[in-house]
Amino acid sequence: MTSSSKPFSSGRKRLLAAGASIAIAAAVGFGAITSGTLPVQAEAVRVEAPQAPGFADVVEQVSPAVVSVRVKAKIEPASDTDFQMFGRGFDDLPDDHPMKRFFKEFRGWGDQDQGGRMERRKHRDDSPRPVAQGSGFFISDDGYVVTNNHVVEGGAMFTVVDDAGKEFDAKLVGTDPRTDLAVLKVDGGGQKFTYVNFADDSKVRVGDWVVAVGNPFGLGGTVTAGIVSARGRDIGAGPYDDFLQIDAAVNRGNSGGPAFNLNGEVVGINTAIFSPSGGNVGIAFAIPASTAREVTQDLIRDGAVQRGWLGVEIQPVTAEIAESLGLSGEKGALVSNAQDNSPAKKAGVIAGDVITAVDGKDVASPKELARIIGAITPGKAVDVTVWRSGQSETMKVDLGELPAPEKQASLQEGGDSQAQSDQLAELGLTIAPADDGKGVVVTDVDPGSDAADRGLQAGDVITNVNSKPVSGGDDIEKAMAEAAKAGRKAVLVQVSRDDASRFVTLPVAKG
């Protein structure tokens, strides 16, 4: 009995031990639940590091001042009697013809009139239709809105939508196509609008942060950020090009929207992008705040911008042109033509003059001359300093008012500097006297010559060399000889083509 009970006792002890361990485990588990604690687990990753400053504070303050601009225009319907198909008029088609059914059902055509002709129904499609949308911003609490001219151009009805989605009717105050700016006026019924100010863009530096707010693709208020990539960009839009280049994402619909600095001031107005695909590639151009401020003030006050007019066609002064005229540097604007009845011509400015200063302010380039003159009130007398015949002269000019865009001071490209020849005959020119005795006609140009390199071609008329009129080859050779004697390497040649005048340089003979 004793020996047979040992296995049972031993197994029972193991069973009791197992039960005890289960009870302990249950007690532990129960205690964990009742005590509110959980087993230790890994925590979510959180990095404690300095946070880079964002743009949220700026955006929060300026967004109420930025608006969407919707433009509608009246679309003139096509004449009801002009429809032709394969030489047959619309009324000549059978009543069951599919084209006739289409126009009757879907294009607003109704039943026949008493003469058997189809009449077009009058319906709401004749009302103004959406043609454009862009961006803008308030510059005063009484509702003046700045946008681009190309946004509102051709529009008949204008709607401004604020950041909260509220719509306001607006009227067009004025436009300035030359700078692509326009001003709208919202009647808020006494409501005061949140508005923003223009920055001092002379303090804007390449690398400064900018925040663009606008209405890309009609999505509504959208914010992008970037830096100022460059200043003073000339994109060929007009004589007053002086754009800021920014890399903030700007797309269609951003036009007219502001680019802010971190103080919430407008440093530029987004107006153009460089894009082979039509979308953002990080190169956008903004009208500087200084230009926008002056233009909008004029538009609000007068409804238009009045600019001074000198009346000259101008081109850059290249190194060769400067050397041929005895100028010390490549500065100023070379007058290729003084327009008839212009203030410049009346004051005595002639082709071949280099305008170096206006009212004592140095002129660095043709673009700067256009901006200086354009900023002066028409009718004001100014002192224009020119370089002529190796010396500086100053003359008084009574500026006129810039008339039409086609009469503004135009910029013409000068000839490129290329290798010079040793002999006059090697210039590659064949000439003949002009029929009227004024100048010589270029009858042939050697394709590989210096003359060809500088853009001369058959049919051009050479009228002056170094500001002296020529009537034959001897006059050209004489002018070149005088230039060589004075130690100059080139002569300045005035060329007329298609009623336009420009200057190129030709090398003088050596020895």
Side-chain angles (χ1 to χ4, degrees):
M1 292 292 294
T2 304
S3 60
S4 62
S5 64
K6 289 181 179 180
F8 175 78
S9 299
S10 176
R12 185 179 180 184
K13 289 178 179 179
R14 287 196 298 270
L15 182 60
L16 291 173
S21 65
I22 292 173
I24 293 172
V28 171
F30 180 78
I33 294 174
T34 56
S35 65
T37 60
L38 291 174
V40 177
Q41 297 178 353
E43 295 183 355
V45 174
R46 178 179 174 82
V47 178
E48 297 293 341
Q51 298 298 307
F55 306 104
D57 291 340
V58 175
V59 173
E60 183 179 7
Q61 296 295 318
V62 303
S63 289
V66 182
V67 299
S68 298
V69 178
R70 298 174 185 171
V71 182
K72 292 182 179 181
K74 285 187 175 293
I75 308 298
E76 293 296 330
S79 172
D80 294 351
T81 59
D82 287 344
F83 176 78
Q84 294 283 324
M85 189 180 74
F86 305 116
R88 301 178 65 187
F90 183 87
D91 297 317
D92 295 332
L93 296 176
D95 290 339
D96 60 349
H97 194 285
M99 288 298 294
K100 196 166 189 175
R101 290 201 308 271
F102 171 81
F103 273 82
K104 182 177 180 179
E105 296 175 10
F106 299 105
R107 295 298 300 274
W109 293 81
D111 297 328
Q112 294 181 350
D113 63 10
Q114 294 180 354
R117 294 182 300 273
M118 296 297 293
E119 291 182 330
R120 191 166 190 238
R121 299 190 189 104
K122 298 296 183 181
H123 52 69
R124 60 186 178 183
D125 284 348
D126 293 334
S127 61
R129 303 177 185 177
V131 293
Q133 60 183 4
S135 306
F137 56 97
F138 286 110
I139 58 169
S140 68
D141 63 0
D142 58 346
Y144 282 103
V145 174
V146 177
T147 186
N148 279 148
N149 171 70
H150 76 260
V151 171
V152 302
E153 189 173 20
M157 296 177 62
F158 309 96
T159 303
V160 167
V161 186
D162 68 12
D163 185 53
K166 188 175 181 180
E167 298 185 2
F168 301 89
D169 291 333
K171 66 177 182 179
L172 186 62
V173 175
T175 65
D176 182 43
R178 292 183 176 93
T179 56
D180 195 22
L181 288 169
V183 174
L184 298 168
K185 178 66 167 64
V186 171
D187 183 4
Q191 176 179 343
K192 297 295 184 181
F193 297 98
T194 301
Y195 68 97
V196 290
N197 290 320
F198 290 109
D200 180 359
D201 59 36
S202 66
K203 297 179 181 178
V204 174
R205 299 183 301 167
V206 173
D208 282 349
W209 282 109
V210 289
V211 179
V213 185
N215 179 35
F217 304 114
L219 295 173
T222 299
V223 179
T224 56
I227 63 170
V228 177
S229 302
R231 292 176 53 98
R233 286 297 197 213
D234 181 353
I235 62 175
Y240 307 108
D241 281 15
D242 185 26
F243 293 103
L244 295 176
Q245 180 183 324
I246 64 176
D247 70 348
V250 172
N251 290 284
R252 293 179 181 177
N254 274 111
S255 290
F260 294 101
N261 60 20
L262 297 188
N263 293 323
E265 299 170 318
V266 178
V267 297
I269 300 174
N270 302 317
T271 189
I273 61 173
F274 174 81
S275 174
S277 64
N280 166 61
V281 294
I283 300 178
F285 301 99
I287 302 166
S290 57
T291 300
R293 182 188 295 107
E294 294 174 1
V295 171
T296 54
Q297 287 175 351
D298 288 347
L299 292 177
I300 292 172
R301 183 179 63 248
D302 303 321
V305 178
Q306 294 182 333
R307 292 187 172 90
W309 178 51
L310 189 58
V312 291
E313 296 174 3
I314 49 181
Q315 68 181 74
V317 177
T318 64
E320 276 197 341
I321 288 176
E323 199 279 337
S324 70
L325 296 175
L327 280 170
S328 58
E330 303 171 37
K331 293 185 178 181
L334 176 61
V335 177
S336 57
N337 181 45
Q339 298 171 359
D340 292 337
N341 299 319
S342 67
K345 192 161 189 174
K346 292 176 181 177
V349 177
I350 60 175
D353 287 345
V354 177
I355 298 176
T356 58
V358 175
D359 279 345
K361 183 177 181 180
D362 290 340
V363 174
S365 66
K367 288 288 186 184
E368 185 171 4
L369 175 63
R371 286 193 290 269
I372 292 173
I373 296 297
I376 299 175
T377 304
K380 182 180 179 181
V382 296
D383 291 325
V384 176
T385 303
V386 302
W387 181 263
R388 178 189 298 175
S389 301
Q391 60 184 6
S392 183
E393 299 181 20
T394 299
M395 55 191 69
K396 187 76 69 175
V397 180
D398 294 322
L399 295 181
E401 182 179 349
L402 186 63
E406 62 270 14
K407 290 187 177 181
Q408 67 189 13
S410 61
L411 176 66
Q412 301 177 356
E413 296 297 330
D416 296 333
S417 299
Q418 301 290 347
Q420 299 175 355
S421 63
D422 293 332
Q423 301 295 329
L424 178 61
E426 293 177 356
L427 288 174
L429 285 175
T430 302
I431 60 175
D435 292 338
D436 58 3
K438 298 179 180 179
V440 295
V441 179
V442 177
T443 58
D444 187 46
V445 180
D446 184 347
S449 66
D450 289 281
D453 289 340
R454 285 155 174 77
L456 290 176
Q457 52 186 249
D460 287 346
V461 178
I462 299 176
T463 57
N464 292 275
V465 177
N466 279 355
S467 300
K468 295 181 179 180
V470 298
S471 58
D474 291 343
D475 293 329
I476 298 176
E477 291 191 16
K478 180 180 178 181
M480 288 187 166
E482 291 176 352
K485 185 176 180 180
R488 297 175 183 170
K489 299 178 181 179
V491 292
L492 190 66
V493 178
Q494 185 175 4
V495 180
S496 177
R497 180 193 301 168
D498 297 330
D499 296 326
S501 180
R502 71 185 186 107
F503 286 91
V504 298
T505 57
L506 290 176
V508 300
K510 294 181 179 179

